[in-house]
Amino acid sequence: MDGSSGEILMISKEIRKGLRGLFKDSSGLMAVIGFLILIFYVVVAIFAPFISPYNPTQPSGPSLLPPTVSHIMGTDNLGYDIFSRLVWGTRMAFAIALIATAIAAVVGIPVGLLVGYIGGKTDRVVTMIMDSVYAFPGLILAIAIAAMLGPGLLNIAFSIAVVYIPTYYRVIRSQVSTVKSELYVDGARAIGAKTSTIIGSYVFPNVLPSTIVIFSMNLADSIMTEAGLSFLGLGIAPPTPDWGYDLAKGQQFILNNDWWMVLFPGLAIITIVLGFSMFAEGLDEYFNPNIGEKR
Amino acid sequence: MSLLEARDLSIEYLTRDGNLKAVENVSFSLGFHETLGLVGESGCGKSTIGLSLLRILPINARMKGKILYKEKDIAILPEEEIRSLRGKEISMIFQDPMTSLDPIMRIKNQFFETFRAHFQKMKEEEMIKISSDVLKSIGIDPSRLENYPFEFSGGMRQRVMIALAIVLNPSLLIADEPTTSLDVVVQLQIMEVLKELKDKRNMSMVLITHDLGLVAEIVDKVGIMYAGNLVEFGDVNSIYENPLHPYTRLLLISIPNVKLEDMELKYIKGNLPSLKSPPAGCKFHPRCPFVMDVCTKEDPPTFEINERKVKCWLYEGEHDESKSETNIG
Amino acid sequence: MMNQNQKLISVRNLKKYFPLKVSWLKIFKERPYVRAVDDLSFEIKYGETLGLVGESGSGKTTVGRTLVRLENPTGGQILFEDVDLAKLFGESLRTKRKDFQMIFQDPMASLNPYMRIGNAIEHPLKIHKMGNKAERKIRVYEILEKVGLPPEEFYNRFPRHLSGGQRQRVVIARAMVTNPKFVVADEVTAMLDVSIRSQILKLLIDMKNEFGLTYLFITHDLASAKYICDKIAVIYLGKIIEIAKTYDIFKEPLHPYTKILIASVPVPDPKMKKKKFIPSGEIPSPINIPSGCRFHPRCPYAMEICAKVEPELKEINGRTVACHLYD
């Protein structure tokens, strides 16, 4: 399964890079397009019961049916309607991605801030721990934790989160160690600000923009990791609608030319990843106060 | 024939929020073995002119007008020809000697690179010989060719930069704020090196700086720039003795000095104009003590008075009449 | 001012050494130090401005940073009125900070890019719990007005919308808002445009006169020190080599290094093309400080004794200088 999902991830990264160049001078537009894509998926997730024509967890026609008028995205090997599964799967995608990324951010950012600001021995010890987690291949680590915790939405989200904590930590810590030697931090010390105030009002806002980008990447990545876990039976229990699971399953049939089983879940993943990225990149450019000066 | 002549040079930068006029209709000329000081504050366009003389402007710059170097127009010269000029005919040194040298390359090899860019088949002994001579002439022991940039102090590094720039014996050296990042004493040493280049090697020079005091000792001609305009141009003695443009006058009296009889701090009011939304009319009018009605409406043309140029309405109708007697203090 | 002619700051034998990173192999050897500030003593009276003049690497910025305790001194005393700042730590140091402030060299870097001008200036008041919200706002408006930035226009702006000179005015406003007694101004005009420099100097002088402030004015530029300082101390490699009234320094500099510094100031007059005396060499690294007088390798008047014995800073005929020429 790693083949196709890895490829899709690569492609989405390439597209992201291209987009960044294309929209360089119109960050506002980029954010708007990203926002529209996300809004589209949010609407789909909320109104799933009204949009989907069939029950996503029950066969609704012959198996392996190519796209037709009644099943616009075809059916899978069990005769489930792919369109309906995608519509319902939007909920799962959002839930897993948001919860996992939020857990990772909530743990990784404060630890990175504090350790980066304090520095010294604490820094060396915590960084070593984080680096050893980071050095572990992400999916394998997630598999190990998921296997330990068992299936279920929160457990999956948690196992994915553990993989991303070091990402936040590393980026924040390295940013903090640059920011803390800035003159405005010296200035804050000179006016008598407490350490907590310095970290909160002077350091944190200046490292925040870099987390927005990681946030978007992790949202996208977590959808892929979740797909991998689901495929191994460690994720959401089938037949709960889930894009990653459908994509992984569809891959088995690609050699029979049953392309629709891969194409539509794949498109869904790519577009939502794009939506997150464009929105985040656009916001980053918009909010970063120094970008305007770097001409 | 002059060595270098700029005619109606205008340079714009295209940016995401509109075009930025960095240089507007600037004309000046520089004879053989002459030194020109281009003086102005940040954003006045002096560095942009420096870059345009070698045609190494950033990609978003658009240039209009002519830059004649030995009668050839640099603005339209084919890329190969301009490349053969760079370093060999015209070369440049920059403000920061810390970042202008490749940190992981021995000084020796940086010289070799320069030679090879123009003479592929030059022998190593010859290259070393020429480099050693040049280094010696500006006060660095030739044995230091083996050193890396970090083994030099700031002032020594700037000397190395100068040596690299003059090793092919160019006719024109452009120096963009060559002493700004150096300490006062070292600054003086570097100026002395440049003065010697001028006197002994007969090199022409364009010295770009913000420091009117610094250039006084070395240049023959001075161009004062303000917000993309050349507001005054002329021979160094006349400009320092009898500055015409109000900006030049104010600049001269507001430079802190070490004279004890002069303890009152004088300054120019107001801020530098933004290039994005410059003031209408004369760009200096919001800060000018002699502002007239016309200044706020119309950009003044450049008037010529006794071989001097000044871009100020005060001199309307005075061209080629006697010098102005207006005094401020 | 009741305290005229009394000392506000008195620095005694101040030292600041920075340990150098050494490789593992040399761990048993004596650890090398950068002696940035090496046994410095001076005092500043109420309402006085002392100029600390030196080249980069002279330790002048470290003196300023140590005085306002952004660095911990390695040794010595910093008597501020009757409190030794060198012995203050933690909360007692933090609350004392409203009495002394520092203005930094680079106005582009000394303001938090994410904080509006009004909030940045208000922050010291908030930290030291001075006044309520309305009172603080009035105070910020007042101080913005004083530094020449119309409050209505600037209160809600971000630093990125301001020019270098305007930012430096904001930094000055922030330093003055708590009514400190003592302000360290570190190369405040060095990064500004020539036509803006004198404006900022003028502003500092005006603020001093209005609030009865005491300054330590750190600079490499003797010329600008002339206009603002009552006294000037010349620092070379972490030591003061001459200290005198501004008039005396310019009238008759004693130390050879002071003479050189004054002669190095460029004069905007093309007729001054006469051959000046230009000293050779550059300021050495404070890791390897020369023996004897620190300046002797570059000194045109160096004598035998200069390489061996370090001259003391002492009073000779009413002037204070550290040089064997005046023994």
Side-chain angles (χ1 to χ4, degrees):
Chain A
M1 55 112 254
D2 232 350
S4 70
S5 66
E7 237 160 62
I8 288 171
L9 194 63
M10 280 253 297
I11 293 167
S12 85
K13 268 184 188 156
E14 281 301 308
I15 295 175
R16 215 147 57 184
K17 229 190 278 170
L19 274 175
R20 208 177 296 169
L22 194 62
F23 286 101
K24 204 164 204 161
D25 290 315
S26 44
S27 54
L29 182 66
M30 187 149 135
V32 168
I33 295 178
F35 185 65
L36 288 179
I37 296 177
L38 292 183
I39 282 290
F40 168 75
Y41 277 111
V42 169
V43 168
V44 169
I46 293 172
F47 296 103
F50 306 103
I51 297 170
S52 73
Y54 304 99
N55 185 333
T57 54
Q58 264 167 21
S60 58
S63 65
L64 294 174
L65 190 73
T68 59
V69 181
S70 57
H71 297 273
I72 53 168
M73 290 182 185
T75 61
D76 67 4
N77 57 328
L78 300 173
Y80 295 166
D81 178 49
I82 292 181
F83 177 65
S84 303
R85 287 187 61 81
L86 285 189
V87 168
W88 282 93
T90 314
R91 292 185 166 187
M92 194 53 72
F94 269 112
I96 299 266
L98 287 175
I99 297 173
T101 318
I103 297 176
V106 162
V107 178
I109 293 175
V111 175
L113 272 174
L114 206 64
V115 173
Y117 190 77
I118 296 168
K121 285 203 180 91
T122 328
D123 179 32
R124 256 170 275 163
V125 172
V126 179
T127 303
M128 212 166 70
I129 297 171
M130 288 291 184
D131 278 354
S132 45
V133 176
Y134 190 73
F136 233 82
L139 189 63
I140 295 180
L141 185 66
I143 289 171
I145 299 167
M148 240 156 52
L149 298 173
L153 179 82
L154 277 180
N155 289 352
I156 293 295
F158 183 76
S159 4
I160 296 172
V162 172
V163 178
Y164 296 132
I165 289 173
T167 325
Y168 283 98
Y169 170 80
R170 284 164 56 112
V171 173
I172 293 289
R173 191 202 71 104
S174 72
Q175 289 267 318
V176 170
S177 43
T178 340
V179 168
K180 80 172 174 189
S181 58
E182 292 279 351
L183 268 185
Y184 54 78
V185 174
D186 276 341
R189 284 171 62 206
I191 60 175
K194 288 184 182 144
T195 307
S196 54
T197 318
I198 296 176
I199 294 180
S201 310
Y202 290 82
V203 179
F204 182 58
N206 286 288
V207 300
L208 194 63
S210 52
T211 67
I212 294 178
V213 181
I214 322 170
F215 200 76
S216 78
M217 274 170 50
N218 284 354
L219 282 171
D221 273 14
S222 56
I223 293 176
M224 304 307 302
T225 311
E226 190 268 338
L229 293 176
S230 298
F231 179 76
L232 293 173
L234 294 166
I236 310 304
T240 315
D242 179 84
W243 296 353
Y245 174 74
D246 284 7
L247 177 73
K249 194 174 67 176
Q251 195 212 220
Q252 302 168 334
F253 297 89
I254 190 96
L255 288 176
N256 306 341
N257 271 338
D258 300 335
W259 48 270
W260 57 92
M261 284 184 66
V262 176
L263 178 72
F264 295 113
L267 273 181
I269 293 174
I270 288 179
T271 45
I272 202 168
V273 166
L274 270 180
F276 279 129
S277 316
M278 288 170 70
F279 184 55
E281 292 264 344
L283 280 189
D284 181 30
E285 296 230 342
Y286 186 74
F287 282 120
N288 195 337
N290 296 322
I291 278 178
E293 285 164 15
K294 293 177 200 151
R295 205 168 284 114
Chain B
M1 181 178 101
S2 46
L3 174 71
L4 181 76
E5 192 183 344
R7 272 191 216 154
D8 288 322
L9 184 64
S10 293
I11 299 164
E12 272 187 314
Y13 289 111
L14 314 178
T15 72
R16 76 161 79 145
D17 22 49
N19 292 0
L20 237 146
K21 286 183 182 160
V23 176
E24 277 182 82
N25 293 325
V26 167
S27 304
F28 60 83
S29 67
L30 178 67
F32 285 90
H33 316 316
E34 264 189 340
T35 304
L36 164 68
L38 223 42
V39 184
E41 300 176 81
S42 58
C44 73
K46 57 187 193 300
S47 292
T48 301
I49 291 185
L51 296 175
S52 73
L53 298 180
L54 273 178
R55 219 167 82 194
I56 46 174
L57 286 165
I59 196 151
N60 62 336
R62 297 290 172 270
M63 188 160 109
K64 269 191 285 185
K66 284 186 173 162
I67 301 172
L68 300 175
Y69 173 79
K70 292 186 180 166
E71 315 257 276
K72 278 184 273 187
D73 188 355
I74 286 181
I76 53 167
L77 222 51
E79 191 58 34
E80 293 142 53
E81 276 189 59
I82 188 104
R83 212 177 301 138
S84 71
L85 283 184
R86 287 182 198 138
K88 204 168 124 212
E89 287 275 339
I90 310 175
S91 63
M92 189 157 182
I93 48 177
F94 296 94
Q95 172 174 352
D96 194 353
M98 301 295 172
T99 54
S100 308
L101 289 167
D102 186 339
I104 54 162
M105 211 191 255
R106 285 180 206 276
I107 298 303
K108 178 175 81 174
N109 293 323
Q110 316 218 10
F111 275 98
F112 292 175
E113 296 261 305
T114 312
F115 284 117
R116 290 207 177 106
H118 295 278
F119 311 100
Q120 278 84 357
K121 289 182 189 135
M122 207 175 203
K123 292 212 179 72
E124 195 164 317
E125 302 92 73
E126 202 186 344
M127 293 194 281
I128 290 199
K129 191 180 172 309
I130 301 176
S131 323
S132 307
D133 289 347
V134 171
L135 279 183
K136 221 184 292 171
S137 75
I138 58 170
I140 295 183
D141 193 285
S143 67
R144 304 210 60 181
L145 274 172
E146 296 294 327
N147 288 113
Y148 287 97
F150 72 88
E151 295 169 282
F152 291 84
S153 63
M156 283 298 167
R157 240 178 274 196
Q158 194 57 290
R159 282 174 201 248
V160 172
M161 283 304 302
I162 295 173
L164 273 168
I166 62 166
V167 72
L168 297 176
N169 233 332
S171 317
L172 177 62
L173 178 69
I174 302 160
D176 188 358
E177 301 268 12
T179 62
T180 305
S181 59
L182 303 172
D183 273 309
V184 271
V185 178
V186 184
Q187 170 172 310
L188 220 63
Q189 296 169 354
I190 296 295
M191 288 314 287
E192 201 54 32
V193 170
L194 292 177
K195 218 185 286 181
E196 272 188 33
L197 289 184
K198 179 194 164 192
D199 296 342
K200 293 192 182 147
R201 291 188 176 240
N202 272 331
M203 207 171 272
S204 297
M205 236 183 270
V206 176
L207 194 61
I208 297 167
T209 179
H210 67 275
D211 193 336
L212 260 175
L214 201 64
V215 291
E217 300 179 17
I218 173 168
V219 299
D220 306 305
K221 284 182 174 176
V222 178
I224 308 284
M225 296 205 56
Y226 188 79
N229 290 316
L230 188 67
V231 295
E232 183 161 3
F233 184 81
D235 140 78
V236 63
N237 289 314
S238 54
I239 284 197
Y240 282 77
E241 260 165 43
N242 179 26
L244 296 179
H245 199 282
Y247 177 60
T248 318
R249 297 186 195 180
L250 288 167
L251 212 51
L252 273 170
I253 59 166
S254 68
I255 297 174
N257 61 49
V258 289
K259 287 185 222 143
L260 274 172
E261 62 274 17
D262 188 5
M263 291 301 282
E264 196 197 337
L265 194 59
K266 300 187 188 83
Y267 61 95
I268 310 180
K269 63 175 187 184
N271 290 302
L272 291 169
S274 126
L275 290 180
K276 279 180 203 155
S277 50
C282 171
K283 301 258 173 65
F284 188 61
H285 89 256
R287 306 175 74 184
C288 182
F290 306 108
V291 61
M292 303 177 291
D293 231 13
V294 59
C295 307
T296 61
K297 290 172 196 140
E298 268 181 80
D299 198 21
T302 304
F303 298 108
E304 278 199 40
I305 304 166
N306 305 330
E307 293 181 16
R308 295 174 64 178
K309 289 179 191 166
V310 58
K311 190 175 158 60
C312 175
W313 282 118
L314 288 175
Y315 301 92
E316 190 185 15
E318 263 195 57
H319 6 311
D320 291 326
E321 288 167 33
S322 63
K323 283 183 189 171
S324 89
E325 296 300 325
T326 343
N327 267 319
I328 57 166
Chain C
M1 253 153 275
M2 45 178 270
N3 288 318
Q4 279 292 0
N5 284 325
Q6 280 185 29
K7 290 175 231 162
L8 170 67
I9 292 262
S10 143
V11 172
R12 289 186 200 150
N13 307 96
L14 186 70
K15 288 185 186 129
K16 177 65 194 173
Y17 296 172
F18 294 100
L20 273 176
K21 280 199 173 130
V22 283
S23 77
W24 286 91
L25 294 169
K26 293 179 186 161
I27 203 155
F28 296 111
K29 289 192 182 162
E30 202 187 335
R31 199 157 188 204
Y33 284 96
V34 177
R35 290 189 279 164
V37 178
D38 206 2
D39 207 357
L40 213 71
S41 302
F42 60 85
E43 43 198 48
I44 311 176
K45 289 179 188 143
Y46 279 92
E48 195 177 61
T49 298
L50 175 69
L52 192 60
V53 181
E55 292 175 271
S56 54
S58 63
K60 58 188 192 302
T61 294
T62 310
V63 173
R65 290 176 59 91
T66 313
L67 247 57
V68 299
R69 287 299 310 276
L70 284 172
E71 308 285 352
N72 295 328
T74 311
Q77 284 182 317
I78 308 165
L79 290 177
F80 181 84
E81 294 181 315
D82 43 10
V83 185
D84 186 359
L85 295 185
K87 298 219 164 55
L88 285 188
F89 287 95
E91 202 56 18
S92 51
L93 173 64
R94 202 180 66 74
T95 47
K96 189 81 189 152
R97 284 188 184 280
K98 66 172 186 294
D99 291 339
F100 51 91
Q101 276 300 321
M102 180 152 178
I103 305 166
F104 301 94
Q105 171 172 6
D106 186 356
M108 296 297 172
S110 42
L111 288 169
N112 181 353
Y114 287 90
M115 215 180 242
R116 289 175 199 276
I117 301 308
N119 297 343
I121 299 174
E122 188 197 353
H123 208 197
L125 297 172
K126 237 172 168 173
I127 286 167
H128 296 290
K129 302 193 173 67
M130 295 163 91
N132 61 33
K133 206 171 173 190
E135 287 164 354
R136 287 199 301 257
K137 187 157 182 177
I138 293 171
R139 174 75 183 140
V140 173
Y141 263 62
E142 196 180 271
I143 201 102
L144 272 171
E145 200 85 64
K146 290 246 162 69
V147 297
L149 300 173
E152 299 78 22
E153 195 185 329
F154 286 91
Y155 191 87
N156 276 320
R157 292 228 203 144
F158 283 104
R160 65 175 179 276
H161 295 130
L162 273 61
S163 68
Q166 289 170 333
R167 285 188 214 197
Q168 201 59 298
R169 285 171 192 270
V170 173
V171 177
I172 291 172
R174 183 180 62 181
M176 310 287 183
V177 74
T178 55
N179 268 325
K181 294 176 182 150
F182 174 60
V183 174
V184 173
D186 182 17
E187 295 267 21
V188 281
T189 61
M191 315 243 330
L192 301 176
D193 274 303
V194 239
S195 76
I196 307 297
R197 275 181 204 176
S198 302
Q199 287 181 2
I200 297 295
L201 278 184
K202 180 82 169 58
L203 176 65
L204 283 176
I205 296 172
D206 291 348
M207 296 296 270
K208 175 193 155 156
N209 292 339
E210 181 154 357
F211 297 115
L213 285 161
T214 305
Y215 284 147
L216 178 68
F217 186 80
I218 299 172
T219 184
H220 68 276
D221 178 14
L222 260 171
S224 54
K226 184 190 83 177
Y227 299 91
I228 182 168
C229 301
D230 302 303
K231 271 179 163 183
I232 287 175
V234 181
I235 181 171
Y236 188 79
L237 279 181
K239 277 235 156 153
I240 290 178
I241 51 117
E242 179 164 7
I243 184 164
K245 289 215 172 75
T246 304
Y247 182 84
D248 293 341
I249 282 264
F250 286 96
K251 182 86 188 163
E252 194 198 357
L254 293 182
H255 199 286
Y257 181 63
T258 316
K259 290 181 185 169
I260 286 169
L261 279 185
I262 291 179
S264 318
V265 176
V267 182
D269 183 356
K271 296 217 174 93
M272 295 279 290
K273 278 179 182 165
K274 63 164 200 240
K275 192 94 179 159
K276 276 194 223 161
F277 166 71
I278 297 169
S280 60
E282 287 172 53
I283 190 165
S285 139
I287 305 168
N288 305 308
I289 290 178
S291 65
C293 171
R294 290 157 193 238
F295 186 60
H296 88 263
R298 297 172 71 191
C299 182
Y301 310 107
M303 304 174 291
E304 217 174 296
I305 184 175
C306 301
K308 289 172 198 151
V309 184
E310 178 151 32
E312 299 265 314
L313 187 67
K314 57 189 169 201
E315 228 184 272
I316 301 144
N317 304 331
R319 295 284 298 272
T320 313
V321 62
C323 178
H324 289 304
L325 285 175
Y326 303 96
D327 280 349

